[in-house]
Amino acid sequence: MKKNLTGILLKKTDYSESSLILKFFTLEEGIQDFIFQGAKKKNANILFPLSISEITCYKRNDSSLGKISGIQAEYNFQELCMHPVKSSLLFFMAEVATKSIIQEVKDPSFFHFIKDEMLWLNSSDEYTNYPLYYLLEFSKLLGFYPESEHEQAAYFDVEEGKICAFKPLGHKYIYDESIVYLNLMLRNSDKLSQLALEIPKRERKQLLQNLISYFSYHLDNFTQLKTIEVIEAVLS
């Protein structure tokens, strides 16, 4: 059956010399996989992480793999995908989304969040703290956004998702210099304020690793990110 879907590209995999397997997060049907024959010759320039496209496709009821017959970019993000730092962020954002979103579940809130962030990132140059902000906002959509109990809190209770003033008893927790900055971000949830917060390089790297550990605790399939080393390098 022929369908028209709006999709955000999460991952592409080589299938042949000219064809690709594409994983899209669609507005209408959640995560869907497609084969796109001739993609490398026809549309290679618009198939980058988190690109947003209108997809014409076919899918048989007895197959989990759809077939794309046509694709058209909804937005022009060419400048974004050519930027050395922002393009690295796209791979990171796509990997987080792939590991977090449930397969084949329609979720407009996730879709519109990613879409809005793409539009924002395309026009902004404030991205040093962006991976931290992105993970925190994603945790909010997933239902385990951390809470700050006190402005002087310094212990991160991973199980309860709280920044506490005292060491949690019997719970997995994190206690290092980065948690002070996590607490500051949580107590000032304005996006621009979070992105402008001055965090030393070492603590920013610590905090990124701590948030990834937090995700891993709450999501079974959230294993170590392949993109993390690149993100740490370009934002160091």
Side-chain angles (χ1 to χ4, degrees):
M1 183 175 68
K2 182 178 178 180
K3 297 180 181 180
N4 292 310
L5 304 173
T6 303
I8 296 172
L9 182 62
L10 298 180
K11 186 179 180 180
K12 62 181 180 180
T13 306
D14 287 339
Y15 181 74
S16 67
E17 289 186 3
S18 61
S19 301
L20 295 168
I21 300 293
L22 303 176
K23 183 182 291 292
F24 278 96
F25 177 41
T26 69
L27 175 61
E28 298 83 0
E29 299 181 357
I31 293 180
Q32 299 288 324
D33 293 316
F34 302 94
I35 182 171
F36 189 13
Q37 295 174 325
K40 295 180 183 178
K41 296 179 181 179
K42 299 175 186 176
N43 298 91
N45 63 324
I46 68 169
L47 296 173
F48 55 88
L50 300 188
S51 55
I52 304 171
S53 302
E54 295 297 329
I55 308 160
T56 302
C57 59
Y58 300 84
K59 190 172 183 180
R60 299 202 315 262
N61 292 332
D62 61 348
S63 175
S64 62
L65 189 65
K67 183 177 180 180
I68 291 176
S69 59
I71 190 168
Q72 184 174 353
E74 189 172 279
Y75 297 95
N76 182 3
F77 289 130
Q78 287 301 308
E79 185 174 343
L80 174 60
C81 70
M82 295 299 291
H83 190 285
V85 176
K86 292 182 182 182
S87 60
S88 299
L89 284 172
L90 296 184
F91 281 95
F92 168 80
M93 293 163 68
E95 187 176 16
V96 170
T98 302
K99 291 178 180 291
S100 302
I101 299 171
I102 300 173
Q103 293 274 353
E104 299 184 11
V105 174
K106 178 181 176 181
D107 196 327
S109 59
F110 275 110
F111 186 93
H112 290 298
F113 167 70
I114 296 172
K115 178 181 176 179
D116 291 345
E117 288 306 309
M118 283 289 287
L119 293 169
W120 182 88
L121 194 60
N122 192 47
S123 60
S124 175
D125 290 319
E126 189 68 67
Y127 45 71
T128 303
N129 291 340
Y130 189 81
L132 306 177
Y133 163 82
Y134 183 76
L135 286 171
L136 287 174
E137 289 301 303
F138 232 93
S139 73
K140 187 182 295 182
L141 291 169
L142 290 164
F144 53 86
Y145 186 75
E147 298 178 12
S148 171
E149 291 192 334
H150 192 274
E151 63 181 7
Q152 300 298 326
Y155 292 90
F156 186 12
D157 186 331
V158 174
E159 295 186 32
E160 293 294 327
K162 295 179 180 179
I163 314 298
C164 313
F166 303 99
K167 185 169 93 170
L169 297 177
H171 284 186
K172 178 180 174 63
Y173 69 91
I174 298 170
Y175 178 66
D176 62 33
E177 293 87 346
S178 74
I179 305 306
V180 172
Y181 296 97
L182 174 58
N183 199 40
L184 287 172
M185 292 185 76
L186 295 176
R187 296 187 73 81
N188 190 347
S189 58
D190 174 70
K191 180 177 184 177
L192 294 181
S193 297
Q194 288 187 341
L195 294 174
L197 181 65
E198 293 187 11
I199 306 176
K201 293 178 182 179
R202 185 171 71 93
E203 284 73 15
R204 188 169 62 242
K205 181 178 179 180
Q206 279 182 325
L207 183 49
L208 184 59
Q209 290 287 358
N210 288 338
L211 287 175
I212 291 170
S213 296
Y214 181 57
F215 268 67
S216 298
Y217 181 83
H218 289 275
L219 299 175
D220 292 337
N221 296 323
F222 202 92
T223 54
Q224 182 65 26
L225 300 181
K226 296 179 180 178
T227 54
I228 189 64
E229 291 184 4
V230 175
I231 287 297
E232 289 175 345
V234 298
L235 294 178
S236 63

